[in-house]
Amino acid sequence: MNNQGQITESWGDGRYDFRLTVNGIIELEQKCDAPFAVIFGRLNGGTFKLNDIRETIRLGLVGGGVASSKALTLVENYIMPL
């Protein structure tokens, strides 16, 4: 992770930068109907909802510089088949 909170990981069909921006966290809270700390706790504690994973990855991709439409397509292709 760099000093901007960005990581680069292999995921889906390639390597992507992931970063949750402040605006991304606000949107994540709205999409998951929970405060960020609750979402973080659910993800770490194994009590997550599918939307917690889906939206965290999608918004992380967007924050890392992936276009919103491509991030949505990636999530639909690699998360939603679950």
Side-chain angles (χ1 to χ4, degrees), residues 18-38:
F18 293 84
R19 181 172 178 254
L20 270 178
T21 64
V22 172
N23 286 337
I25 291 170
I26 292 167
E27 185 176 344
L28 179 64
E29 291 177 331
Q30 292 169 346
K31 295 282 187 178
C32 296
D33 193 31
F36 180 72
V38 171

PDB file of all heavy atoms in Angstrom, residues 18-38:
ATOM      1  N   PHE A  18      -6.534  -0.339  -6.429  1.00  0.00           N
ATOM      2  CA  PHE A  18      -7.714  -0.204  -5.579  1.00  0.00           C
ATOM      3  C   PHE A  18      -7.441   0.888  -4.559  1.00  0.00           C
ATOM      4  O   PHE A  18      -6.366   0.935  -3.951  1.00  0.00           O
ATOM      5  CB  PHE A  18      -7.997  -1.505  -4.816  1.00  0.00           C
ATOM      6  CG  PHE A  18      -8.424  -2.656  -5.675  1.00  0.00           C
ATOM      7  CD1 PHE A  18      -7.484  -3.453  -6.310  1.00  0.00           C
ATOM      8  CD2 PHE A  18      -9.763  -2.946  -5.847  1.00  0.00           C
ATOM      9  CE1 PHE A  18      -7.867  -4.522  -7.098  1.00  0.00           C
ATOM     10  CE2 PHE A  18     -10.163  -4.013  -6.632  1.00  0.00           C
ATOM     11  CZ  PHE A  18      -9.210  -4.800  -7.258  1.00  0.00           C
ATOM     12  N   ARG A  19      -8.439   1.746  -4.358  1.00  0.00           N
ATOM     13  CA  ARG A  19      -8.329   2.817  -3.359  1.00  0.00           C
ATOM     14  C   ARG A  19      -9.724   3.278  -2.988  1.00  0.00           C
ATOM     15  O   ARG A  19     -10.536   3.578  -3.859  1.00  0.00           O
ATOM     16  CB  ARG A  19      -7.539   3.985  -3.926  1.00  0.00           C
ATOM     17  CG  ARG A  19      -7.363   5.122  -2.955  1.00  0.00           C
ATOM     18  CD  ARG A  19      -6.395   6.166  -3.527  1.00  0.00           C
ATOM     19  NE  ARG A  19      -6.282   7.269  -2.604  1.00  0.00           N
ATOM     20  CZ  ARG A  19      -6.842   8.461  -2.802  1.00  0.00           C
ATOM     21  NH1 ARG A  19      -7.540   8.711  -3.888  1.00  0.00           N
ATOM     22  NH2 ARG A  19      -6.698   9.410  -1.911  1.00  0.00           N
ATOM     23  N   LEU A  20     -10.013   3.311  -1.712  1.00  0.00           N
ATOM     24  CA  LEU A  20     -11.289   3.863  -1.256  1.00  0.00           C
ATOM     25  C   LEU A  20     -11.082   5.322  -0.898  1.00  0.00           C
ATOM     26  O   LEU A  20     -10.363   5.639   0.052  1.00  0.00           O
ATOM     27  CB  LEU A  20     -11.809   3.107  -0.031  1.00  0.00           C
ATOM     28  CG  LEU A  20     -12.703   1.920  -0.298  1.00  0.00           C
ATOM     29  CD1 LEU A  20     -13.106   1.250   1.013  1.00  0.00           C
ATOM     30  CD2 LEU A  20     -13.923   2.284  -1.098  1.00  0.00           C
ATOM     31  N   THR A  21     -11.681   6.196  -1.664  1.00  0.00           N
ATOM     32  CA  THR A  21     -11.617   7.631  -1.383  1.00  0.00           C
ATOM     33  C   THR A  21     -12.669   7.985  -0.336  1.00  0.00           C
ATOM     34  O   THR A  21     -13.546   7.166  -0.013  1.00  0.00           O
ATOM     35  CB  THR A  21     -11.887   8.434  -2.662  1.00  0.00           C
ATOM     36  OG1 THR A  21     -13.232   8.154  -3.087  1.00  0.00           O
ATOM     37  CG2 THR A  21     -10.902   8.081  -3.776  1.00  0.00           C
ATOM     38  N   VAL A  22     -12.613   9.193   0.161  1.00  0.00           N
ATOM     39  CA  VAL A  22     -13.631   9.649   1.113  1.00  0.00           C
ATOM     40  C   VAL A  22     -15.011   9.591   0.457  1.00  0.00           C
ATOM     41  O   VAL A  22     -15.974   9.089   1.054  1.00  0.00           O
ATOM     42  CB  VAL A  22     -13.316  11.073   1.641  1.00  0.00           C
ATOM     43  CG1 VAL A  22     -14.470  11.611   2.458  1.00  0.00           C
ATOM     44  CG2 VAL A  22     -12.034  11.059   2.453  1.00  0.00           C
ATOM     45  N   ASN A  23     -15.115  10.068  -0.777  1.00  0.00           N
ATOM     46  CA  ASN A  23     -16.410  10.000  -1.472  1.00  0.00           C
ATOM     47  C   ASN A  23     -16.830   8.556  -1.693  1.00  0.00           C
ATOM     48  O   ASN A  23     -18.021   8.233  -1.635  1.00  0.00           O
ATOM     49  CB  ASN A  23     -16.351  10.752  -2.803  1.00  0.00           C
ATOM     50  CG  ASN A  23     -16.352  12.246  -2.611  1.00  0.00           C
ATOM     51  OD1 ASN A  23     -16.796  12.757  -1.589  1.00  0.00           O
ATOM     52  ND2 ASN A  23     -15.833  12.959  -3.591  1.00  0.00           N
ATOM     53  N   GLY A  24     -15.857   7.684  -1.944  1.00  0.00           N
ATOM     54  CA  GLY A  24     -16.160   6.266  -2.098  1.00  0.00           C
ATOM     55  C   GLY A  24     -16.692   5.660  -0.811  1.00  0.00           C
ATOM     56  O   GLY A  24     -17.620   4.846  -0.828  1.00  0.00           O
ATOM     57  N   ILE A  25     -16.127   6.053   0.316  1.00  0.00           N
ATOM     58  CA  ILE A  25     -16.602   5.551   1.613  1.00  0.00           C
ATOM     59  C   ILE A  25     -18.023   6.043   1.885  1.00  0.00           C
ATOM     60  O   ILE A  25     -18.871   5.279   2.358  1.00  0.00           O
ATOM     61  CB  ILE A  25     -15.636   5.960   2.739  1.00  0.00           C
ATOM     62  CG1 ILE A  25     -14.314   5.193   2.586  1.00  0.00           C
ATOM     63  CG2 ILE A  25     -16.248   5.702   4.116  1.00  0.00           C
ATOM     64  CD1 ILE A  25     -13.199   5.673   3.488  1.00  0.00           C
ATOM     65  N   ILE A  26     -18.298   7.290   1.557  1.00  0.00           N
ATOM     66  CA  ILE A  26     -19.654   7.828   1.741  1.00  0.00           C
ATOM     67  C   ILE A  26     -20.642   7.041   0.891  1.00  0.00           C
ATOM     68  O   ILE A  26     -21.716   6.649   1.371  1.00  0.00           O
ATOM     69  CB  ILE A  26     -19.693   9.338   1.423  1.00  0.00           C
ATOM     70  CG1 ILE A  26     -18.903  10.113   2.484  1.00  0.00           C
ATOM     71  CG2 ILE A  26     -21.129   9.847   1.310  1.00  0.00           C
ATOM     72  CD1 ILE A  26     -18.614  11.553   2.124  1.00  0.00           C
ATOM     73  N   GLU A  27     -20.286   6.783  -0.368  1.00  0.00           N
ATOM     74  CA  GLU A  27     -21.176   6.005  -1.238  1.00  0.00           C
ATOM     75  C   GLU A  27     -21.313   4.570  -0.735  1.00  0.00           C
ATOM     76  O   GLU A  27     -22.410   3.993  -0.759  1.00  0.00           O
ATOM     77  CB  GLU A  27     -20.659   6.012  -2.675  1.00  0.00           C
ATOM     78  CG  GLU A  27     -21.622   5.329  -3.633  1.00  0.00           C
ATOM     79  CD  GLU A  27     -21.199   5.404  -5.090  1.00  0.00           C
ATOM     80  OE1 GLU A  27     -20.325   6.223  -5.436  1.00  0.00           O
ATOM     81  OE2 GLU A  27     -21.776   4.646  -5.881  1.00  0.00           O
ATOM     82  N   LEU A  28     -20.218   3.987  -0.250  1.00  0.00           N
ATOM     83  CA  LEU A  28     -20.262   2.625   0.303  1.00  0.00           C
ATOM     84  C   LEU A  28     -21.244   2.549   1.468  1.00  0.00           C
ATOM     85  O   LEU A  28     -22.050   1.610   1.557  1.00  0.00           O
ATOM     86  CB  LEU A  28     -18.858   2.208   0.750  1.00  0.00           C
ATOM     87  CG  LEU A  28     -18.711   0.829   1.375  1.00  0.00           C
ATOM     88  CD1 LEU A  28     -19.044  -0.265   0.362  1.00  0.00           C
ATOM     89  CD2 LEU A  28     -17.303   0.645   1.929  1.00  0.00           C
ATOM     90  N   GLU A  29     -21.183   3.531   2.354  1.00  0.00           N
ATOM     91  CA  GLU A  29     -22.112   3.561   3.488  1.00  0.00           C
ATOM     92  C   GLU A  29     -23.562   3.627   3.010  1.00  0.00           C
ATOM     93  O   GLU A  29     -24.440   2.952   3.564  1.00  0.00           O
ATOM     94  CB  GLU A  29     -21.800   4.750   4.397  1.00  0.00           C
ATOM     95  CG  GLU A  29     -20.497   4.614   5.147  1.00  0.00           C
ATOM     96  CD  GLU A  29     -20.165   5.822   5.995  1.00  0.00           C
ATOM     97  OE1 GLU A  29     -20.576   6.959   5.647  1.00  0.00           O
ATOM     98  OE2 GLU A  29     -19.496   5.636   7.021  1.00  0.00           O
ATOM     99  N   GLN A  30     -23.821   4.417   1.974  1.00  0.00           N
ATOM    100  CA  GLN A  30     -25.183   4.532   1.444  1.00  0.00           C
ATOM    101  C   GLN A  30     -25.630   3.224   0.794  1.00  0.00           C
ATOM    102  O   GLN A  30     -26.746   2.760   1.035  1.00  0.00           O
ATOM    103  CB  GLN A  30     -25.253   5.676   0.436  1.00  0.00           C
ATOM    104  CG  GLN A  30     -25.066   7.032   1.057  1.00  0.00           C
ATOM    105  CD  GLN A  30     -24.864   8.143   0.025  1.00  0.00           C
ATOM    106  OE1 GLN A  30     -24.612   7.881  -1.152  1.00  0.00           O
ATOM    107  NE2 GLN A  30     -24.952   9.386   0.474  1.00  0.00           N
ATOM    108  N   LYS A  31     -24.757   2.628  -0.018  1.00  0.00           N
ATOM    109  CA  LYS A  31     -25.111   1.398  -0.733  1.00  0.00           C
ATOM    110  C   LYS A  31     -25.330   0.225   0.217  1.00  0.00           C
ATOM    111  O   LYS A  31     -26.145  -0.650  -0.052  1.00  0.00           O
ATOM    112  CB  LYS A  31     -24.022   1.026  -1.745  1.00  0.00           C
ATOM    113  CG  LYS A  31     -23.842   2.019  -2.870  1.00  0.00           C
ATOM    114  CD  LYS A  31     -24.910   1.855  -3.903  1.00  0.00           C
ATOM    115  CE  LYS A  31     -24.622   2.748  -5.100  1.00  0.00           C
ATOM    116  NZ  LYS A  31     -25.602   2.602  -6.146  1.00  0.00           N
ATOM    117  N   CYS A  32     -24.574   0.207   1.315  1.00  0.00           N
ATOM    118  CA  CYS A  32     -24.661  -0.914   2.268  1.00  0.00           C
ATOM    119  C   CYS A  32     -25.529  -0.588   3.478  1.00  0.00           C
ATOM    120  O   CYS A  32     -25.699  -1.438   4.357  1.00  0.00           O
ATOM    121  CB  CYS A  32     -23.263  -1.320   2.714  1.00  0.00           C
ATOM    122  SG  CYS A  32     -22.248  -1.961   1.370  1.00  0.00           S
ATOM    123  N   ASP A  33     -26.059   0.627   3.535  1.00  0.00           N
ATOM    124  CA  ASP A  33     -26.928   1.080   4.618  1.00  0.00           C
ATOM    125  C   ASP A  33     -26.316   0.804   5.997  1.00  0.00           C
ATOM    126  O   ASP A  33     -26.954   0.262   6.893  1.00  0.00           O
ATOM    127  CB  ASP A  33     -28.304   0.419   4.507  1.00  0.00           C
ATOM    128  CG  ASP A  33     -29.332   1.084   5.414  1.00  0.00           C
ATOM    129  OD1 ASP A  33     -29.210   2.300   5.656  1.00  0.00           O
ATOM    130  OD2 ASP A  33     -30.249   0.373   5.881  1.00  0.00           O
ATOM    131  N   ALA A  34     -25.029   1.184   6.117  1.00  0.00           N
ATOM    132  CA  ALA A  34     -24.320   0.985   7.387  1.00  0.00           C
ATOM    133  C   ALA A  34     -23.115   1.914   7.429  1.00  0.00           C
ATOM    134  O   ALA A  34     -22.571   2.271   6.385  1.00  0.00           O
ATOM    135  CB  ALA A  34     -23.854  -0.464   7.510  1.00  0.00           C
ATOM    136  N   PRO A  35     -22.675   2.282   8.632  1.00  0.00           N
ATOM    137  CA  PRO A  35     -21.454   3.072   8.757  1.00  0.00           C
ATOM    138  C   PRO A  35     -20.242   2.246   8.304  1.00  0.00           C
ATOM    139  O   PRO A  35     -20.243   1.014   8.376  1.00  0.00           O
ATOM    140  CB  PRO A  35     -21.355   3.376  10.254  1.00  0.00           C
ATOM    141  CG  PRO A  35     -22.696   3.090  10.812  1.00  0.00           C
ATOM    142  CD  PRO A  35     -23.326   2.072   9.922  1.00  0.00           C
ATOM    143  N   PHE A  36     -19.196   2.950   7.887  1.00  0.00           N
ATOM    144  CA  PHE A  36     -17.993   2.289   7.388  1.00  0.00           C
ATOM    145  C   PHE A  36     -17.431   1.304   8.410  1.00  0.00           C
ATOM    146  O   PHE A  36     -17.023   0.190   8.059  1.00  0.00           O
ATOM    147  CB  PHE A  36     -16.941   3.329   6.999  1.00  0.00           C
ATOM    148  CG  PHE A  36     -15.678   2.718   6.485  1.00  0.00           C
ATOM    149  CD1 PHE A  36     -15.629   2.111   5.240  1.00  0.00           C
ATOM    150  CD2 PHE A  36     -14.527   2.728   7.256  1.00  0.00           C
ATOM    151  CE1 PHE A  36     -14.471   1.533   4.768  1.00  0.00           C
ATOM    152  CE2 PHE A  36     -13.361   2.162   6.794  1.00  0.00           C
ATOM    153  CZ  PHE A  36     -13.329   1.556   5.544  1.00  0.00           C
ATOM    154  N   ALA A  37     -17.402   1.686   9.678  1.00  0.00           N
ATOM    155  CA  ALA A  37     -16.841   0.800  10.717  1.00  0.00           C
ATOM    156  C   ALA A  37     -17.625  -0.511  10.819  1.00  0.00           C
ATOM    157  O   ALA A  37     -17.045  -1.570  11.063  1.00  0.00           O
ATOM    158  CB  ALA A  37     -16.813   1.516  12.066  1.00  0.00           C
ATOM    159  N   VAL A  38     -18.931  -0.445  10.619  1.00  0.00           N
ATOM    160  CA  VAL A  38     -19.754  -1.654  10.657  1.00  0.00           C
ATOM    161  C   VAL A  38     -19.439  -2.548   9.452  1.00  0.00           C
ATOM    162  O   VAL A  38     -19.287  -3.767   9.582  1.00  0.00           O
ATOM    163  CB  VAL A  38     -21.257  -1.293  10.715  1.00  0.00           C
ATOM    164  CG1 VAL A  38     -22.136  -2.522  10.530  1.00  0.00           C
ATOM    165  CG2 VAL A  38     -21.579  -0.585  12.025  1.00  0.00           C
TER     166      VAL A  38
END
